[in-house]
Amino acid sequence: MGRGTLRIYLGAAPGVGKTYAMLAEAHRRVERGTDCVVALVEHHDRPRTEVMLHGLEQIPRSEIDYRSAVFTEMDVDAVLERAPAVALVDELAHSNVPGSRNAKRWQDVEELLKAGIDVISTVNIQHLESLGDVVESITGVRQQETVPDEVVRRADQIELVDMSPQALRRRMAHGNIYQPDKLDAALSNYFRPGNLTALRELALLWTADRVDEYLQQYRGEHNIRTTWQARERIVVGLTGGPEGRTLIRRASRMAAKSSGSEILAVYIARSDGLTSASPKELAVQRTLVEDVGGTFHHVIGDDIPAALLEFARGVNATQIVLGSSRRKTWQYIYGPGVGATVARESGPDLDVHIVTHEEVAKGRGLPIARGARLGRARIVSGWLVGVAGPVLLSLLLLSLENGPGLANDVLLFLFLTVVAALLGGLRPALASAAVGTLLLNYWFTPPTHTLTVQDPENFVAIVIFFAVAVAVSSVVDLAARRTHQAARLRAESEILSFLAGSVLRGETALDALLERVRETFAMESVALLERASDVDPWTCAGFVGPAPVARPDDADVDMPVGDNMALALSGRVLPAEDRRVLGAFAAQAAVVLDRQRLVSEADRARRLAEGNRIRTALLAAVSHDLRTPLAGIKAAVSSLRSDDVAWSPEDEAELLEGIEDGADRLDHLVGNLLDMSRLQTGTVTPLIREIDLDEVVPMALGGVPEGSVDLDIPETLPMVAVDPGLLERVVANVVENAVKYSPGGEPIAVAASALGERVELRVVDRGRGVPDEAKERIFEPFQRYGDAPRGAGVGLGLAVSRGFAEAMGGTLDAEDTPGGGLTMILTLTAAPGREPAQDRAVLPAEATS
């Protein structure tokens, strides 16, 4: 009998629906006639899961006595005796009660698999052994029950049961997972949105790795050798050719394997502005790079491999993606190519990927037709053909007994001159024409071995040869110069198109524009200098690169922008033809600087408007909220001072109590106003020290009625690093606000817990709650939510509380209370040097099973 197959439903956290999905699969198999039984399923009193057990055969569990208690575990022997085709075994990582057949449930499953029984099981991502430390750092809880990764990896099928954190928390709030008395503890500790999101990411990444293993196994079993391109800062070298799109897409797939990866596509043009790239194709590739979330860079450099490596190291790249050369075999006489050179000189710090494409070895065309200026290699080749070629041709013709004749000799020499012109331009061609003329006259024109010509026809032939050679050389040189000019204009149009695009896109980052100037012109530093008038000193409005110049006179290149602004570049002297493009950059830099200043002025105006709004609200508060208690105090004092009425001791006590209440309200309101003023001016300086929460929180509850707060501050909590005075004000404001909105007679809950290096204080009320869109607005100054009466305060309590919390390095946020209400969460930093107790975090039972 062969080994059974194992199918696992993997989840990120308890409650995502693993057991439900397993039972649904069992019902489908039973309907198809498969012999399927429930060996062990834990429904945890969840009604919907329990209903799914109906109609399925369940194997009775074995009972084990342990420490005067009876526990139930899966009866492995009974399952083996029943020998079903499929057995359902829940919670693969469960530890069996001592005295069981095996210590771990996954070992029970192994026995069933060896017996040829197919098993369907469930496991949460936090129970994988290799992820124990990671899960503990996220949730603050160490998982005691784990399963070896290899056991799960050997599963024949792994299905991820996924659910968003928000949906899972809603499911819990509706009572579909835990009983109501466990909801608050679960939602505020283990099932926090951040914890669930991190666990979900772990589950997705682990499953993706397993999928990749399945794919490799499939390819090996089917002997598939072709590349299936399934999955860092990655630099993509573009030439402007059609292969660029392939390189960009390949780099995007590589970046998708690692979170936070970045793609930088770079096109390197020669310093003379000439390029073999198609502007249309480059524009398409630029758009494609932006679509995949990357950035496009245009760099100047005569040595393409060196410029590419310099750029890659300058941006701290880890990988370079290049395309295989499009050159034909014979074109490698000019050198090994960019890809081979970059791979050889990249060193151990850069991985170079040479990507094949459909244009490999299809040729790049003649360089002259592609519009590139004649390089050194071609000029040397032209001189060799123009000078050495006629000499070698003469030796070859002299070795023949019967030569082809003077007319054919002239054509052969003319061919060499044309080749020299095509390769090296005007001067090698003129040299070829001169050398060819001399050789024709001396060796092949009667009388030979002299420079005289007897036959007039031969003289005409030599003169025509020389004239044609000069004409061809001139035409080739003129074409090269016209192509050079066209290519420069094309390069300039690309740069000007970029500038126009940046204007249309509303880009306002001066540093980014200056960095683009530095890259485009291969400069060491670029600075934008300005001065108020002709007699004032220059100041730097922005710069990139090391050691920027302080004056335009100190720069290698300076481009004036108006009378009192200049763009100063250091690194090399630019040719005159580049200054037109540089002028466009300088003008754009001035526009960006003006735009930044306008934005800054708009922000300042907005802050002034905000301050004016606060002052207006403050006047309204003074005119009403502060005058109300003052009016009460004034009335009570006037009554006590009146000689017309004989007040009883009870009446006097009541009036004095009213005076005291009014004074307390005034003190509270004035205190909040002063605190808000301190926060607005940035003069709050907390005195941080280590203290226990149970020393501060009870003192903050003095302003609320007795019995209105249920306090739960465990003694095992670590100390917190806070300013005790500020913390007391924060807690007092939050608690008073919660008591104000809590239904009459129902106390609010104030509970603290520790999660990793954080300590949380949660203030829970059962009031009307606050909609999601208003949760941030309640922390703004002078905001009173809902129908709060005018005498209920000026709306500063929560704003001051959040300001003080952030001043101490903490946070104050609001979230819904399960079942209705609002929960305020104050997160503080635990003091170093005191390890939190292991049992302080409340964790649902299933999370450790």
Side-chain angles (χ1 to χ4, degrees), residues 738-803:
V739 171
K740 182 194 309 180
Y741 289 100
S742 186
E746 185 168 352
I748 66 170
V750 178
S753 60
L755 291 171
E757 298 179 354
R758 307 183 306 273
V759 175
E760 285 189 352
L761 185 71
R762 305 176 74 88
V763 180
V764 183
D765 69 61
R766 296 290 180 178
R768 295 180 295 110
V770 176
D772 291 339
E773 61 273 13
K775 282 187 173 64
E776 283 300 313
R777 195 164 63 247
I778 62 177
F779 292 103
E780 297 178 3
F782 302 103
Q783 295 292 323
R784 295 186 297 184
Y785 178 69
D787 55 356
R790 287 294 301 173
V794 294
L796 285 176
L798 292 182
V800 170
S801 297
R802 172 173 276 190

Side-chain angles (χ1 to χ4, degrees), residues 594-676:
D594 289 341
R595 184 181 299 157
Q596 283 186 346
R597 289 175 174 171
L598 289 174
V599 170
S600 177
E601 291 178 3
D603 290 340
R604 193 180 307 109
R606 180 185 56 79
R607 289 193 297 269
L608 291 174
E610 178 68 15
N612 185 58
R613 185 186 71 83
I614 293 177
R615 283 191 294 271
T616 302
L618 178 58
L619 290 175
V622 171
S623 65
H624 188 283
D625 294 284
L626 294 181
R627 291 182 63 185
T628 299
L630 280 174
I633 294 173
K634 173 65 175 176
V637 171
S638 298
S639 298
L640 289 173
R641 288 175 56 87
S642 174
D643 297 331
D644 300 335
V645 180
W647 302 103
S648 66
E650 292 79 8
D651 292 337
E652 289 183 358
E654 185 177 351
L655 289 173
L656 291 173
E657 184 180 359
I659 294 173
E660 185 178 12
D661 289 342
D664 289 340
R665 287 178 57 189
L666 276 177
D667 179 68
H668 182 73
L669 291 174
V670 172
N672 276 337
L673 289 171
L674 293 177
D675 290 339
M676 197 67 226

Side-chain angles (χ1 to χ4, degrees), residues 428-467:
L430 292 177
S432 177
V435 173
T437 300
L438 293 175
L439 292 175
L440 280 171
N441 188 6
Y442 188 82
W443 293 103
F444 303 101
T445 303
T448 59
H449 303 97
T450 66
L451 294 178
T452 59
V453 180
Q454 292 182 348
D455 191 341
E457 294 182 358
N458 295 338
F459 179 79
V460 172
I462 293 176
V463 171
I464 292 176
F465 162 76
F466 184 80

Side-chain angles (χ1 to χ4, degrees), residues 286-306:
R286 182 198 298 269
T287 302
L288 180 58
V289 169
E290 294 173 351
D291 289 342
V292 300
T295 57
F296 184 90
H297 301 266
H298 189 283
V299 177
I300 301 295
D302 291 320
D303 189 338
I304 304 297

